[in-house]
Amino acid sequence: MYFIGFDLGSSSVKACLLEADSGHVVASAFFPETEMPIEAPQPGFAEQQPSAWWKNACRASKAVMQQANVRPEDVKAIGISYQMHGLVIVDKEFNVLRPSIIWCDSRAVPYGNRAFDKLGHEYTLHHLLNSPGNFTAAKLAWVKENEPDVYAQATNFMLPGDYLAACMTGEIVTTASGLSEGAFWDFQENQPAQFLLDYFGFDPALIPTIKPTFAPQGEITASAAAELGLAAGTPVTYRAGDQPNNAWSLNVLEPGQIAATAGTSGVVYGVSDQAKYDPQSRVNTFLHVSNTKEAPRYGVLLCVNGTGILNSWLRNQVLQRSISYSDMNKLAHEAPIGADGLFCLPFGNGAERMLENADLGASFHGLQLTRHGLPHLIRAAQEGIVFALYYGIQIMESVGVGLQKIRAGEANMFQSPLFRDTLANLTGATIELYNTDGAQGAARGAGLGLGHYKNAQEAFTGLHVTKTIEPDMRAQEAYRDAYGKWLVKLNHL
């Protein structure tokens, strides 16, 4: 008996096949092998074709089924994790009306900011716990004003995971957690935010049917099953945005627990039982996957858009793919803490919510042509990413989310010893790395949503710590001194 999880990212779609009772991964695969393109028809725009997500999900699904030599009928449930805050618009015949406006697209910032001002900051934050900012609601407002013909044909908007599930089941549904990440959820009324719909002039019928996060959400059709290599009738029983799902994957469900990830973007995600918000909406509060009426759970999310994408830019553009990421990490260790006065601001992947939706671009400061080489450049980039995360962590602490231990999957930039050590030493927190990723978490979520696992504890059989990184107190002063100098550069922009 198996569960399959899909993780729809901005670079690839990964599938994971999990044996239900042991909790062991029997196969995993991702497509494409090179990163999915992000289209930027204008500065600040970021779009992807939803059809590419479906194509790559089908390829990944067939690959894991072939690897494991598992019969389609033995896969009993499907879980989906997906890149947050995106917008997919379809007509009544399920035709996608335009490319998806994805999470790092900046075009909707003025629409969210105007709504924040017009509706009133205090009222909006009290109800949404966030500014509409650059979230899905503001992106839909941009389409309504700038592409009225597209908007007039729309019968539903969806988040990326809703689209992937609809390709499987033919049913357009979403979750309350998903609507909260799009700034569509009224936390006071515990329903879609009618006041925001009224302000933007959105028809409430555009909102998909709402289903629980862990529950049957439709069964895959015969045609979808043939493309996926699965059995018709297999239920989708879990879906969540990638960061709530990353926290779920790491068994981060209770107040005080912290999860982190460092892929294209970098995220620190803390769980709270209090509906608190940052008055400047620099960190954001959403419904966590474990939220219930009896035991409310909120995820407080810090995001730095320019994280792994900066590291990959250096490798692809500066180094022309001449060395591996592992060799880059070794090279960076040749430079001292603080990169001998070379500092990097990693904000080159769209508007940063942490900086109140400013789009500063990425930049290096203090470059000395006679002193600095590739080791300094790589180290400055990785330190700059951690410094940006730490800047946001301090904002999280101001809204009551403490930091003593960080859980993360052993993937992406957490594979870099320099990145891990910098984060541990700067924050003073212990880092625990686990044998998990988003696709595996989605598979475990599918098992809970199906009812095979009676509770979360059963769902995490097979999850274990692979590495523990303790802060080195002797290095903390040097890291904090370097961070202070980095902060001066940031504040001067």
Side-chain angles (χ1 to χ4, degrees):
M1 181 176 181
Y2 302 89
F3 306 127
I4 190 168
F6 293 91
D7 185 17
L8 164 56
S10 44
S11 60
S12 66
V13 182
K14 185 172 185 178
C16 170
L17 198 61
L18 188 82
E19 202 283 316
D21 293 328
S22 68
H24 291 156
V25 173
V26 296
S28 64
F30 66 89
F31 287 92
E33 294 178 357
T34 56
E35 295 182 359
M36 279 191 294
I38 297 176
E39 299 162 5
Q42 294 185 41
F45 284 26
E47 300 180 346
Q48 287 185 319
Q49 297 292 342
S51 59
W53 302 339
W54 174 242
K55 174 184 175 182
N56 287 305
C58 292
R59 294 173 71 191
S61 180
K62 285 184 174 178
V64 296
M65 295 298 289
Q66 290 170 1
Q67 284 177 34
N69 195 26
V70 167
R71 298 183 306 171
E73 58 268 29
D74 289 336
V75 178
K76 300 301 183 182
I78 300 166
I80 296 172
S81 166
Y82 59 89
Q83 50 172 293
M84 298 169 70
H85 316 308
L87 174 68
V88 180
I89 305 174
V90 296
D91 65 13
K92 61 184 179 181
E93 296 180 348
F94 195 58
N95 296 307
V96 176
L97 295 174
R98 68 169 331 281
S100 173
I101 302 175
I102 67 170
W103 58 278
C104 55
D105 188 288
S106 302
R107 77 185 75 180
V109 169
Y111 294 81
N113 288 346
R114 281 199 295 270
F116 198 32
D117 291 339
K118 291 285 188 180
L119 293 167
H121 291 200
E122 184 175 351
Y123 181 87
T124 303
L125 289 169
H126 185 63
H127 284 267
L128 300 181
L129 303 185
N130 303 290
S131 160
N134 197 31
F135 295 124
T136 312
K139 291 167 181 169
L140 184 59
W142 183 93
V143 172
K144 183 171 182 282
E145 180 172 314
N146 293 275
E147 299 176 348
D149 292 344
V150 170
Y151 184 83
Q153 297 175 69
T155 55
N156 285 108
F157 73 83
M158 290 180 282
L159 299 162
D162 301 337
Y163 170 81
L164 192 60
C167 288
M168 295 178 181
T169 66
E171 298 183 38
I172 299 177
V173 304
T174 191
T175 65
S177 177
L179 291 176
S180 77
E181 81 184 50
F184 281 106
W185 191 255
D186 190 325
F187 286 80
Q188 298 302 313
E189 302 297 331
N190 198 35
Q191 64 181 25
Q194 187 63 49
F195 75 95
L196 192 71
L197 300 178
D198 291 343
Y199 170 81
F200 283 131
F202 296 154
D203 184 347
L206 290 171
I207 297 177
T209 300
I210 301 170
K211 298 277 189 175
T213 296
F214 298 95
Q217 302 168 3
E219 297 179 350
I220 64 172
T221 63
S223 59
E227 292 189 72
L228 291 162
L230 300 174
T234 307
V236 175
T237 56
Y238 168 84
R239 82 183 67 187
D242 53 10
Q243 299 312 323
N245 176 72
N246 181 62
W248 156 257
S249 304
L250 294 159
N251 198 12
V252 170
L253 302 173
E254 298 302 326
Q257 296 177 336
I258 300 289
T261 184
T264 301
S265 65
V267 170
V268 179
Y269 184 101
V271 178
S272 174
D273 56 3
Q274 302 293 318
K276 293 184 177 181
Y277 55 82
D278 170 35
Q280 294 164 267
S281 205
R282 296 166 297 175
V283 298
N284 303 104
T285 304
F286 308 115
L287 289 173
H288 191 31
V289 295
S290 58
N291 177 72
T292 64
K293 184 177 180 180
E294 298 74 25
R297 294 292 181 265
Y298 306 92
V300 181
L301 185 153
L302 146 73
C303 180
V304 176
N305 291 353
T307 302
I309 193 172
L310 171 61
N311 212 36
S312 67
W313 183 88
L314 284 173
R315 179 172 179 262
N316 295 337
Q317 304 301 325
V318 177
L319 296 170
Q320 295 291 294
R321 301 190 180 187
S322 59
I323 64 174
S324 67
Y325 286 119
S326 177
D327 288 337
M328 286 175 64
N329 295 333
K330 292 174 184 175
L331 200 59
H333 272 287
E334 296 178 13
I337 295 171
D340 198 12
L342 180 62
F343 297 100
C344 176
L345 300 178
F347 312 113
N349 193 30
E352 297 280 359
R353 294 196 299 274
M354 184 181 71
L355 303 178
E356 299 181 62
N357 289 315
D359 189 353
L360 300 181
S363 54
F364 287 86
H365 298 262
L367 178 64
Q368 296 290 324
L369 301 178
T370 56
R371 293 179 62 83
H372 297 138
L374 281 174
H376 301 86
L377 200 68
I378 299 168
R379 180 164 197 134
Q382 292 204 22
E383 287 184 345
I385 293 164
V386 176
F387 293 162
L389 288 167
Y390 184 59
Y391 179 83
I393 286 167
Q394 293 177 304
I395 299 171
M396 292 180 71
E397 290 174 338
S398 73
V399 296
V401 178
L403 189 73
Q404 294 180 331
K405 183 181 292 183
I406 299 170
R407 298 182 187 179
E410 192 174 358
N412 301 317
M413 292 203 68
F414 276 99
Q415 293 176 309
S416 164
L418 188 150
F419 177 86
R420 300 189 306 241
D421 291 346
T422 303
L423 183 61
N425 291 326
L426 191 58
T427 61
T430 298
I431 297 175
E432 290 182 344
L433 301 182
Y434 287 78
N435 62 326
T436 192
D437 59 25
Q440 184 184 143
R444 294 183 188 277
L448 185 61
L450 183 68
H452 177 76
Y453 303 129
K454 297 182 179 63
N455 52 50
Q457 302 316 110
E458 286 190 7
F460 291 108
T461 300
L463 182 71
H464 64 266
V465 176
T466 58
K467 283 188 177 71
T468 301
I469 298 93
E470 298 286 356
D472 181 353
M473 308 307 283
R474 297 167 298 177
Q476 280 195 319
E477 183 177 352
Y479 278 110
R480 291 186 176 175
D481 178 66
Y483 170 72
K485 293 174 181 175
W486 177 91
L487 191 58
V488 170
K489 302 294 182 186
L490 176 63
N491 290 336
H492 281 170
L493 290 183

